[in-house]
Amino acid sequence: MHEGSITIRLPADPKEIERLNRIVRQFGDLHEVPGRTLYAVNLALDELVTNVILHGYEDRTDQEVKAHLTVQEGVITAEVEDGGRAFNPLDAPTPDLNAALDERELGGLGIHLVRSLMDRVEYRREGEKNVLTVRKRIR
Amino acid sequence: MQIKEDKQGEILIVTVSEHLDTSTSSIFESRLLGMVDRGERKIVVDCGTLEYVNSAGLKVFLLAAKRLEPLGGKLVLCALAPSVLMIFEMIGFTRIMKIVSTLDEAIRVLKGDASPA
């Protein structure tokens, strides 16, 4: 594993997610992040950025999302920053995993995955920006 | 993403490959729900070549299973890669969907002659 970081700026367009995923996987491979950890971080970042793109802006035109990825001291950290309306996705209710099929809700799946895949998830409002930080110990 | 369909008697085998994500899940959703709407009731989704699924893709499986249940139909998933299976477990889908390890087993389940475990 090698230490390093990358900043990715994406237009707020759902089509950009695929490019984000490719960049994250390449970054992970170059820094020799183990497969399972990389898969988890890739998926968590996908969910967070998708959430911002689909729900963060009244009008997505000319808006962007910034993702910052760092590998340092055995921990991979991803930070997602957007200038959309104040929104903390961690306020979303946890889906009831014990519900029967006909009662399972369709919402909340993404953020539940993020919480489950990552060791730490934090939200903060910084001026006009939402910043979501997730961390995972590399193993 | 690629989607293939193969009808074997009453059973429809759907193979979904590569990445099921935000940009591809709406296509998969309209295809899979379209199969239910045209009368398919026994559907296997072969995930043997599915490498990646996010919540948008997971939602499609949930929608299809929910739509089939009151119609007396059944959705069986098979051959999930360990990383994909982990996501299904994490989200609790292994409790509400039939997930088996091989296509043969999925077909046996849908034919109703699965041998007891």
Side-chain angles (χ1 to χ4, degrees), chain A residues 1-48:
Chain A
M1 188 199 60
H2 304 291
E3 299 200 339
S5 70
I6 187 173
T7 301
I8 308 156
R9 289 168 183 276
L10 300 167
D13 180 339
K15 291 194 193 80
E16 293 289 325
I17 301 288
E18 204 186 329
R19 195 162 66 91
L20 169 74
N21 288 347
R22 278 207 305 273
I23 296 170
V24 171
R25 283 192 282 263
Q26 276 173 10
F27 174 84
D29 287 341
L30 282 171
H31 292 76
E32 293 176 12
V33 176
R36 282 182 81 91
T37 307
L38 181 58
Y39 186 90
V41 171
N42 179 186
L43 183 52
L45 207 50
D46 173 339
E47 297 294 348
L48 292 173

Side-chain angles (χ1 to χ4, degrees), chain A residues 69-89:
Chain A
L69 207 55
T70 309
V71 173
Q72 198 175 29
E73 291 169 7
V75 175
I76 186 159
T77 306
E79 202 168 77
V80 176
E81 196 182 289
D82 70 85
R85 59 179 158 233
F87 177 67
N88 180 358

Side-chain angles (χ1 to χ4, degrees), chain B residues 44-111:
Chain B
V44 181
V45 180
D46 183 347
C47 299
T49 48
L50 184 64
E51 294 163 18
Y52 181 83
V53 62
N54 74 358
S55 63
L58 290 167
K59 204 181 286 184
V60 179
F61 291 105
L62 184 54
L63 274 170
K66 274 171 162 294
R67 191 171 292 190
L68 273 167
E69 194 185 42
L71 299 169
K74 196 166 178 65
L75 178 73
V76 180
L77 311 188
C78 71
L80 280 69
S83 55
V84 173
L85 182 61
M86 175 189 78
I87 301 303
F88 273 79
E89 279 167 355
M90 212 170 250
I91 210 80
F93 281 6
T94 46
R95 301 177 199 184
I96 50 173
M97 288 176 203
K98 185 74 181 170
I99 298 176
V100 298
S101 39
T102 65
L103 178 59
D104 284 350
E105 206 178 333
I107 291 170
R108 278 203 300 278
V109 168
L110 285 175
K111 278 184 176 164

